[in-house]
Amino acid sequence: MAKIQSSAQFKSYQPQQILLLPPSLDELIEEHDLVRVVNLVVDSLDISGLINQYKGGGTTAYHPRMLLKILLYAYSVKIYTGRKIAKALRQDLHFMWLSGMSRPDFRTINNFRSSKAKEVIEQLFQQMLLFLMDHGYIKMENYFCDGSTISADCNKHKMVWKKNAERFKSGTEEKCRELFKEIDALNAAEDKQYLRTDLEERGLQAREITADTIREQADKLDAVITSSTGKQQRKAVSLKKKLKQKEVTIAVYEQQIELAGKRSGYNKTDNEATAMRMKNDELLPAYNALAGCEDQFIIAVSIHQNTNDGTCFKDHLKKLEQQSPVLPRAIIADSIFGTEQNYELLESKQINNYLKFPSYQAEQKQSYRQNPFLKDNFGYDASTDSYTCPNEKQLTLQSSYFQTHKRTGYQSAIKEYQCKDCKKCPFY
């Protein structure tokens, strides 16, 4: 009997068909989808501070709660630019449901997050943190902290270096002193006080160049210009013009040095950005962002102008105290955080820590532990506060003092031990 071959069957496909009753967007979103979590969290926030930034009058505005929802959800699914968020509002079912089919354009989104949302983001972040704590998502038991350098959105070729500004300022000041000599020589004919007296003899060579000293020399030139004629007057006018140029130049360098502060330099298009070494070994204007998290929830974020995470940790902990009603029981971080200052800071706040000190890995090596000439391997007697060297000689305390760290201002206690006589030591 011949086998009858049936034709293939397909489900109905009519993309242009108009539905009599359109489906509800809520039915198309899964029950435990991330977008529902974002919606629930933002609905629980008090956004009165955000609403108060809107002024009355004019056309109606998009609701700030809706804009905040789409921003937070976009960030959670790694969509960051205003144009891509606006595109998602037109094409993505989750964004349509979250926005209630509202479609703000990219300008509205960018203006909202760069102005109104920026003013209250700290308060909203704190409310969200409390929400996560109240619902048991965060228990503040183990706080994992680390830092990462993030390149600034500015021209990398527009760096101003503090050392260069100081060097150029010093060179300009030296040229000013040369001008002062010419001014003094020009004024000598009218001022008997300077007759046969050179500036170096009056101690003006090392005198600091300030706005007052330049103004003082300009007054001398004004007197010469007023009382003289011809070549002498023209020279005085020329010197005053040069002096004015140097004054402006010095003011520029002083401003650059002031903007740099304790940093090595800054960027012209973003004065807050500092030159930092990136992971690819490229030197770029950047920021150091320290973040702390628990169970993949970010609890605190702080931005710094220093690449050393350990140095920035004190300010990061202060930021955490401002945002969280309780401090974590323990903090976990890599060895760059393991400094004397940070250990002391955590001890004062009664926070446990798992911070390795910088030399931890080196001390685990056999070559380190078996090296008799390292001070860590010397025998120590607490009762006499003394060490014993490999030659069985006693090293006693000679002096103790405090050493101040340049960047942090923290004072470390330094103790110096010395043997009474090392001349006949076979290891000397």
Side-chain angles (χ1 to χ4, degrees):
M1 184 176 178
K3 188 177 181 180
I4 301 175
Q5 185 176 3
S6 61
S7 60
Q9 299 295 318
F10 300 100
K11 297 183 183 295
S12 176
Y13 175 65
Q14 297 176 349
Q16 308 302 325
Q17 182 180 4
I18 299 176
L19 299 178
L20 180 61
L21 296 174
S24 170
L25 292 179
D26 190 71
E27 296 176 356
L28 302 176
I29 304 295
E30 295 182 5
E31 182 180 357
H32 300 290
D33 195 282
L34 176 62
V35 71
R36 291 189 183 275
V37 178
V38 173
N39 184 65
L40 178 64
V41 171
V42 178
D43 279 340
S44 68
L45 299 179
D46 177 15
I47 62 168
S48 56
L50 187 59
I51 292 176
N52 292 337
Q53 295 187 51
Y54 287 83
K55 298 179 180 179
T59 186
T60 56
Y62 288 104
H63 202 285
R65 195 180 294 275
M66 180 272 293
L67 292 171
L68 185 61
K69 286 179 181 180
I70 63 173
L71 273 180
L72 292 178
Y73 180 67
Y75 292 163
S76 66
V77 294
K78 298 182 180 181
I79 300 176
Y80 304 110
T81 65
R83 287 179 174 82
K84 288 185 177 180
I85 295 174
K87 181 180 179 181
L89 288 167
R90 299 191 302 268
Q91 299 179 353
D92 192 297
L93 181 68
H94 298 77
F95 279 89
M96 292 178 185
W97 175 82
L98 195 61
S99 67
M101 296 300 293
S102 296
R103 294 181 179 180
D105 61 15
F106 72 93
R107 295 182 185 85
T108 302
I109 295 169
N110 288 339
N111 289 337
F112 173 76
R113 65 177 166 186
S114 63
S115 57
K116 295 179 175 62
K118 186 177 180 181
E119 296 298 325
V120 295
I121 193 65
E122 294 287 344
Q123 300 173 14
L124 296 175
F125 185 86
Q126 186 175 19
Q127 289 186 48
M128 185 175 292
L129 184 62
L130 294 174
F131 174 89
L132 294 172
M133 288 181 178
D134 293 340
H135 289 76
Y137 291 103
I138 294 176
K139 299 178 181 178
M140 296 300 281
E141 292 180 349
N142 295 314
Y143 182 86
F144 293 84
C145 183
D146 199 4
S148 179
T149 51
I150 301 174
S151 59
D153 186 16
C154 57
N155 191 335
K156 65 179 181 180
H157 302 293
K158 296 291 185 178
M159 286 299 301
V160 176
W161 300 103
K162 183 179 179 180
K163 286 187 177 180
N164 286 347
E166 291 174 340
R167 179 163 54 89
F168 294 148
K169 179 175 177 288
S170 178
T172 307
E173 288 178 345
E174 186 59 35
K175 291 179 181 178
C176 278
R177 291 189 182 96
E178 293 175 2
L179 288 175
F180 290 176
K181 291 181 182 179
E182 294 186 45
I183 294 169
D184 189 69
L186 187 66
N187 202 48
E190 299 181 0
D191 192 347
K192 301 297 183 180
Q193 183 180 358
Y194 293 97
L195 188 62
R196 297 178 182 177
T197 306
D198 194 45
L199 283 175
E200 287 82 357
E201 296 174 10
R202 295 181 57 83
L204 296 180
Q205 182 65 20
R207 187 179 178 184
E208 183 183 0
I209 305 300
T210 64
D212 291 335
T213 57
I214 292 176
R215 195 177 299 111
E216 179 184 331
Q217 298 297 322
D219 291 341
K220 291 182 180 180
L221 286 172
D222 288 337
V224 174
I225 293 171
T226 304
S227 60
S228 62
T229 57
K231 184 178 180 181
Q232 193 174 20
Q233 188 183 55
R234 290 193 298 271
K235 186 176 181 180
V237 172
S238 176
L239 286 173
K240 185 175 181 180
K241 183 178 179 181
K242 291 179 181 179
L243 196 63
K244 186 65 178 177
Q245 291 173 346
K246 301 304 178 188
E247 182 182 8
V248 173
T249 304
I250 289 175
V252 170
Y253 293 140
E254 285 178 345
Q255 184 184 26
Q256 291 177 352
I257 294 169
E258 184 180 356
L259 281 173
K262 295 182 179 180
R263 299 178 291 164
S264 60
Y266 65 93
N267 189 273
K268 284 185 177 180
T269 53
D270 184 355
N271 293 344
E272 301 297 323
T274 307
M276 296 184 181
R277 187 74 60 183
M278 310 302 286
K279 289 184 178 180
N280 62 357
D281 207 35
E282 189 176 5
L283 195 64
L284 294 175
Y287 295 91
N288 186 16
L290 260 64
C293 66
E294 182 181 77
D295 289 337
Q296 299 185 23
F297 287 102
I298 296 176
I299 299 174
V301 177
S302 58
I303 307 298
H304 308 272
Q305 297 175 320
N306 192 330
T307 55
N308 190 304
D309 295 342
T311 303
C312 303
F313 180 70
K314 181 179 179 181
D315 292 333
H316 177 78
L317 193 60
K318 186 183 297 183
K319 184 72 174 292
L320 176 62
E321 287 181 298
Q322 295 172 354
Q323 294 179 340
S324 174
V326 295
L327 290 174
R329 295 180 186 175
I331 293 181
I332 300 96
D334 55 29
S335 60
I336 196 171
F337 290 86
T339 64
E340 181 184 357
Q341 181 180 10
N342 291 339
Y343 289 140
E344 186 178 295
L345 176 65
L346 293 174
E347 184 179 4
S348 67
K349 297 183 181 297
Q350 298 181 342
I351 301 175
N352 296 325
N353 72 85
Y354 299 94
L355 308 181
K356 291 190 297 186
F357 46 90
S359 61
Y360 176 82
Q361 294 295 345
E363 292 186 14
Q364 306 311 306
K365 296 180 180 179
Q366 189 174 3
S367 58
Y368 187 98
R369 294 197 300 267
Q370 294 181 353
N371 188 343
F373 298 102
L374 293 174
K375 68 175 182 62
D376 293 336
N377 296 329
F378 284 15
Y380 177 71
D381 186 354
S383 61
T384 60
D385 190 17
S386 62
Y387 287 88
T388 303
C389 73
N391 194 35
E392 301 300 325
K393 295 289 186 180
Q394 190 180 44
L395 282 74
T396 56
L397 180 65
Q398 299 297 311
S399 64
S400 61
Y401 56 91
F402 287 95
Q403 184 179 41
T404 303
H405 295 262
K406 292 181 179 180
R407 287 186 177 273
T408 62
Y410 177 75
Q411 290 187 327
S412 297
I414 306 296
K415 292 184 176 181
E416 293 183 350
Y417 295 81
Q418 187 175 352
C419 180
K420 292 182 178 179
D421 187 12
C422 295
K423 292 181 179 179
K424 296 182 180 180
C425 179
F427 304 111
Y428 186 71

